[in-house]
């Protein structure tokens, strides 16, 4: 018996509640039980006994079900239909004002010992957290429906794919999960009779920050999220399963769950090279994954496999192979335009749920950085009338679009392939106004692990809290690692031994600024110019200079043709300032001190080597 069952036994001991006739409870044929899997049936029954919903609604992900739930959501004001001519199949949602981003301080890893969760995670004893959260969930769905959402993360039939069941009282979550995952029968089919599915329970409660917990129980493959209705807190297949539980399972099972986009670069001869890139939240993954090369690169094309999460394991040919477990994009809206990211604009043109952008009467939407000026009669993300003199943002900086991957014109043909795509390069990159050069290549895998582990980035609006402060964010996984960060870095080092043909490792920084606070590098589509150098390095086609940081291009190695840009700015973007680097190495102490018990010694040696090279 695990902790969950012990706590349940105690809570349900005196329960007299009977959940009868779930199969035929509604006149509506939708929502009837659609699985024979005993593990699922009995778990759903126990959760229903706790939450006491009026009805248990078994979702199948079908079109009629989607239409029914969308209508219901519109009736209840959860979704506002947009102008269907302009935005076919698109809806608008406003979250609670206090519930606009992930909340790291409410996120817990509940392992038997605090040491397993490690110094970078909030920890609680599983029995305590189960008691608290089942306590909060008791009767929480009275008078409401409990939706059962079966979903598959990863292509069907893939050895990397995982099944989850999310129970939720939020229609918004159901409709979003239908976009973000492969939902319905497909999940049951992958699971068969097995009980090896992720158990996810989500209760909105009163959406109060006081009673907000996102708790993970890796040993039980269980997630309980209460008190929020926002993105990464509640779409449990995403950060909770794919990264926190996923990273824990990956360590046990010999694979890697990473906060990485996956893209394929096709050259004019049709040769394709895939890379994966870990940038922290709101630091450019979606934009990079959907990059459209500038005119100079006629005949080149970038294909998107994924924009947020990669699951990777060594493939038959000894290379690291990656799948994107998701089926949709939950992307940052502000700043997205036909100039910056046409493929994202195409992706959100139809069948999209927009959250917390600005709304114009008549069913239009707007956000800062959109191609057109704000329309008349605009209401900000909080529903207040807005004008350009309001002095506040119309769209919340973390407003999001939720769109099916199939809307993306550049979706890679191998997106759904069960074996995934072979990864030639891994790219780390933070948001750094200073110090970090535009690009460098690590000397080898171990050095690359050090580069990723010590990555720093300025905090963004994707998580609640201060914005713009540099913090260490190892592999962009600080908020997403489901176990001890030191052990996670050890897992990275161990993977080297089972990957026969490891990818090359790089670091990029699109965000370095000049003395006047202007970005030194144009970014977006022009990142292709850096990506081209990276691809050429992966294929051994271009030389590089040895520097203290790693291998670097000379400014003349980056193709600037067709760009109205001063090469001196590129030289500044590539510059290494030894005095700044001494401070940077000292700033890494924050991480080294926090992790000192568990940090693999290789990383100490790498730091010493870097000091000796400077
Ligand atoms: P999550 O979905 O939170 O994981 O974010 P993400 O990593 O996918 O970030 P995204 O691509 O949505 O970009 C976030 C912000 O960074 C947006 O405001 C972009 O406009 C900006 N951005 C992306 N790429 C670049 C770039 O190359 N240069 C500059 N200056 N800004 C960029
Ligand atoms: C992130 O914060 O890294 C996101 C958005 O991708 S959320 O799904 O809310 O976590
Ligand atoms: Mn993300």
């Amino acid at each position: 018996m695990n902790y969950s069952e012990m706590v349940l036994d105690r809570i349900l001991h005196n329960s007299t509640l009977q959940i009868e006739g779930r199969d035929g409870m509604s006149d509506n044929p939708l929502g009837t039980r659609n699985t024979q899997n005993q593990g699922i049936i009995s778990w759903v029954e126990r959760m229903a006994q706790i939450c006491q919903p009026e009805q248990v609604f078994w979702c199948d992900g079908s079109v009629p079900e989607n239409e029914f739930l969308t209508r219901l959501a519109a009736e209840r004001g959860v979704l506002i239909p947009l102008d269907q001519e302009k935005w076919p199949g698109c809806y608008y949602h406003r979250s609670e004002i206090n519930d606009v981003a992930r909340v790291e301080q409410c996120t817990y890893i509940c392992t038997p010992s605090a040491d397993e969760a490690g110094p970078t995670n909030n920890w609680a004893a599983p029995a305590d957290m189960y008691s608290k959260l089942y306590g909060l969930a008791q009767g929480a769905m009275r008078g409401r429906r409990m939706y059962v959402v079966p979903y598959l993360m990863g292509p069907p039939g893939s050895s990397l794919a995982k099944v989850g069941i999310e129970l939720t009282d939020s229609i918004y979550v159901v409709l979003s999960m239908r976009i973000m995952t492969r939902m319905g029968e497909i999940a049951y089919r992958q699971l068969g009779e097995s009980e090896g599915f992720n158990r996810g329970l989500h209760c909105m409660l009163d959406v109060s920050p006081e009673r907000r917990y996102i708790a993970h129980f890796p040993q039980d493959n269980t997630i309980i999220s209460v008190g929020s209705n926002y993105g990464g807190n509640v779409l449990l297949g995403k950060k909770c399963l794919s990264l926190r539980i996923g990273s824990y399972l990956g360590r046990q099972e010999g694979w890697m769950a990473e906060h990485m986009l996956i893209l394929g670069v096709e050259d004019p001869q049709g040769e394709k090279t895939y890379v994966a890139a870990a940038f922290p939240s709101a630091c450019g993954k979606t934009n990079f994954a959907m990059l459209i090369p500038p005119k100079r690169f006629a005949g080149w094309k970038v294909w998107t496999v994924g924009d947020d999460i990669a699951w990777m394991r060594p493939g038959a040919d000894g290379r690291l192979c990656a799948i994107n477990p998701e089926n949709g994009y939950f992307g940052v809206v502000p700043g997205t335009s036909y100039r910056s990211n046409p493929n994202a604009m195409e992706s959100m043109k139809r069948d999209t749920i927009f959250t917390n952008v600005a709304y114009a009467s008549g069913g239009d939407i707007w956000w800062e950085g959109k191609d057109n000026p704000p329309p008349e009669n605009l209401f900000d993300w909080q529903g207040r009338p807005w004008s350009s003199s309001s002095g506040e943002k119309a769209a919340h900086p973390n407003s999001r679009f939720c769109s099916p991957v199939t809307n993306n014109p550049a979706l890679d043909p191998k997106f759904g392939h069960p074996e995934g795509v072979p990864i030639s390069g891994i790219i780390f990159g933070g948001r750094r106004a200073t110090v970090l050069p535009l690009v460098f290549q690590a000397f080898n895998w171990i050095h690359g692990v050090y580069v990723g582990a010590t990555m720093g980035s300025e905090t963004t609006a994707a998580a609640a809290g201060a914005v713009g402060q540099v913090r260490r964010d190892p592999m962009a996984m600080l908020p997403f690692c489901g176990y001890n960060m030191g052990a996670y870095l050890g897992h990275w080092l161990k993977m080297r031994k089972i990957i026969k043909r490891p990818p090359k490792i790089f670091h990029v920084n699109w965000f370095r600024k000049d003395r006047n606070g202007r970005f030194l590098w144009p970014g977006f589509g022009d990142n292709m110019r850096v990506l081209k150098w990276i691809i050429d390095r992966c294929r051994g086609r271009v030389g590089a200079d040895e520097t203290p940081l790693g291998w670097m291009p000379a400014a003349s190695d980056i193709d600037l043709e067709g760009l109205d840009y001063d090469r001196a700015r590129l030289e500044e973007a590539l510059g290494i300032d030894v005095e700044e680097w001494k401070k940077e190495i000292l700033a890494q102490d924050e991480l080294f001190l926090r992790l000192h018990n568990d940090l693999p010694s290789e990383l100490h040696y790498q730091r010493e080597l870097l000091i000796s090279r400077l």
Side-chain angles (χ1 to χ4, degrees):
M1 200 191 285
N2 66 25
Y3 291 107
S4 169
E5 281 156 17
M6 271 155 43
V7 173
L8 279 174
D9 264 18
R10 211 161 59 227
I11 292 183
L12 294 179
H13 185 63
N14 295 319
S15 167
T16 53
L17 182 86
Q18 297 288 318
I19 306 286
E20 283 174 355
R22 280 176 315 284
D23 313 35
M25 195 157 153
S26 155
D27 296 340
N28 193 330
L30 295 173
T32 55
R33 197 181 77 208
N34 48 14
T35 178
Q36 305 294 327
N37 182 306
Q38 279 310 314
I40 299 177
I41 294 170
S42 58
W43 171 67
V44 171
E45 196 158 316
R46 303 193 87 177
M47 292 302 113
Q49 278 178 301
I50 296 221
C51 301
Q52 300 175 20
E54 193 173 298
Q55 187 196 5
V56 175
F57 186 105
W58 297 75
C59 297
D60 62 10
S62 66
V63 171
E65 174 183 278
N66 190 48
E67 283 169 357
F68 169 72
L69 293 177
T70 302
R71 203 169 344 108
L72 200 64
E75 271 164 30
R76 296 188 181 165
V78 173
L79 293 183
I80 300 175
L82 295 181
D83 175 346
Q84 293 297 300
E85 258 175 37
K86 200 162 182 189
W87 298 100
C90 295
Y91 293 83
Y92 177 60
H93 174 78
R94 273 196 193 106
S95 74
E96 295 292 325
I97 291 163
N98 66 40
D99 188 32
V100 294
R102 285 184 294 100
V103 274
E104 294 175 6
Q105 65 280 18
C106 308
T107 302
Y108 286 80
I109 302 297
C110 307
T111 41
S113 75
D115 191 48
E116 284 166 89
T120 59
N121 282 311
N122 299 312
W123 174 81
D128 294 348
M129 193 52 99
Y130 277 126
S131 301
K132 180 187 294 210
L133 298 190
Y134 285 147
L136 287 172
Q138 245 182 325
M141 295 189 190
R142 267 191 212 120
R144 302 167 67 78
R145 271 211 187 105
M146 173 191 270
Y147 296 95
V148 182
V149 179
Y151 64 93
L152 175 63
M153 300 309 291
S158 172
S159 61
L160 276 164
K162 300 277 178 207
V163 172
I165 312 282
E166 176 164 357
L167 309 179
T168 177
D169 55 354
S170 163
I171 307 184
Y172 170 75
V173 166
V174 179
L175 295 171
S176 303
M177 286 293 282
R178 182 170 184 272
I179 297 171
M180 293 306 298
T181 72
R182 295 162 170 93
M183 172 178 157
E185 170 65 24
I186 196 169
Y188 294 140
R189 228 178 300 135
Q190 177 96 10
L191 190 64
E193 301 284 288
S194 162
E195 298 205 357
F197 60 94
N198 180 269
R199 291 150 170 76
L201 174 64
H202 168 235
C203 305
M204 289 168 69
L205 305 182
D206 49 1
V207 196
S208 154
E210 307 300 313
R211 305 201 293 162
R212 186 168 294 159
Y213 294 92
I214 300 100
H216 306 72
F217 306 86
Q219 276 84 355
D220 305 339
N221 198 0
T222 293
I223 304 158
I224 305 179
S225 170
V226 301
S228 172
N229 197 34
Y230 190 83
N233 298 333
V234 298
L235 307 178
L236 299 185
K238 196 172 179 58
K239 301 300 157 111
C240 301
L241 171 53
S242 289
L243 290 180
R244 298 197 190 95
I245 300 285
S247 59
Y248 174 89
L249 295 175
R251 181 178 180 224
Q252 285 189 325
E253 300 167 3
W255 55 280
M256 306 166 86
E258 301 298 335
H259 191 202
M260 291 182 183
L261 67 95
I262 309 164
L263 64 79
V265 183
E266 187 178 342
D267 73 11
Q269 286 71 47
E271 183 186 68
K272 215 141 169 208
T273 310
Y274 290 95
V275 299
F279 308 160
S281 300
C283 289
K285 287 184 299 306
T286 302
N287 278 273
F288 197 47
M290 296 184 178
L291 184 155
I292 294 189
K295 283 206 184 64
R296 160 71 180 156
F297 290 81
W300 291 78
K301 182 157 167 91
V302 171
W303 299 90
T304 317
V305 179
D307 81 324
D308 200 45
I309 294 168
W311 284 355
M312 307 191 284
R313 80 152 38 122
D317 68 353
R319 287 191 287 182
L320 196 57
C321 282
I323 63 160
N324 167 16
E326 302 192 277
N327 204 29
Y329 306 119
F330 187 65
V332 175
V333 180
T336 310
S337 68
Y338 276 100
R339 269 167 295 125
S340 67
N341 191 350
N343 286 328
M345 294 300 285
E346 289 296 316
S347 301
M348 60 175 93
K349 241 161 87 174
R350 57 195 141 88
D351 303 319
T352 292
I353 299 175
F354 292 92
T355 300
N356 290 345
V357 295
Y359 176 83
S361 40
D364 200 2
I365 46 174
W366 189 80
W367 54 83
E368 278 74 14
K370 195 165 182 280
D371 298 274
N372 59 309
E376 297 287 302
N377 300 320
L378 197 67
F379 297 85
D380 72 4
W381 65 276
Q382 301 185 48
R384 304 171 304 187
W386 185 91
S387 76
S388 44
S389 59
S390 294
E392 281 183 67
K393 303 262 191 234
H396 189 278
N398 192 37
S399 51
R400 299 259 166 181
F401 66 94
C402 180
S403 311
V405 292
T406 46
N407 281 1
N408 177 5
L411 183 65
D412 192 76
K414 287 205 168 149
F415 160 75
H417 282 208
E419 71 279 14
V421 298
I423 298 297
S424 301
I426 287 178
I427 308 172
F428 295 112
R431 180 185 284 270
R432 293 296 299 273
T434 58
V435 190
L436 270 292
L438 181 63
V439 60
F440 64 91
Q441 181 190 348
F443 291 118
N444 53 39
W445 180 272
I446 300 183
H447 179 225
V449 172
Y450 167 77
V451 168
T454 53
M455 185 161 79
S457 196
E458 292 153 21
T459 49
T460 66
V467 167
Q469 292 176 352
V470 175
R471 68 172 183 183
R472 296 300 127 188
D473 190 348
M475 277 73 176
M477 283 289 278
L478 182 70
F480 307 119
C481 185
Y483 61 101
N484 188 307
M485 183 60 83
Y488 164 82
L489 297 173
H491 180 55
W492 263 84
L493 293 170
K494 277 195 205 114
M495 286 304 292
R496 170 63 186 92
K497 299 187 179 145
I498 59 168
I499 309 169
K500 286 211 194 70
R501 298 162 67 194
K504 307 274 187 287
I505 299 183
F506 302 83
H507 188 284
V508 299
N509 177 23
W510 313 139
F511 300 94
R512 198 170 186 180
K513 291 180 174 167
D514 64 15
R515 256 169 254 101
N516 302 317
R518 288 190 1 251
F519 288 118
L520 280 164
W521 178 248
F524 300 99
D526 287 311
N527 292 336
M528 180 67 209
R529 299 169 192 276
V530 175
L531 182 55
K532 166 77 164 49
W533 183 80
I534 289 175
I535 299 296
D536 284 343
R537 287 298 294 170
C538 291
R539 295 203 172 262
R541 288 195 291 231
V542 64
D545 294 338
E546 185 175 333
T547 77
L549 304 187
W551 299 107
M552 284 181 73
S556 56
D557 290 332
I558 303 287
D559 187 333
L560 294 181
E561 212 176 297
L563 188 62
D564 181 17
Y565 178 72
D566 184 358
R567 200 171 284 275
R569 285 182 79 73
L570 176 59
E571 269 160 24
E572 198 177 337
L574 285 168
I576 298 172
D577 180 325
V578 172
E579 290 312 308
E580 278 184 354
W581 268 94
K582 287 181 183 163
K583 290 194 199 112
E584 177 73 9
I585 292 170
L586 289 177
Q588 295 172 358
D589 273 345
E590 173 204 335
L591 182 81
F592 278 69
L593 291 174
R594 233 164 142 195
L595 293 183
H596 72 101
N597 274 340
D598 313 287
L599 201 67
S601 51
E602 286 89 332
L603 300 183
H604 291 286
Y605 301 145
Q606 286 295 332
R607 191 182 187 212
E608 294 298 317
L609 286 170
L610 173 57
I611 292 169
S612 72
R613 289 194 301 262
L614 275 176

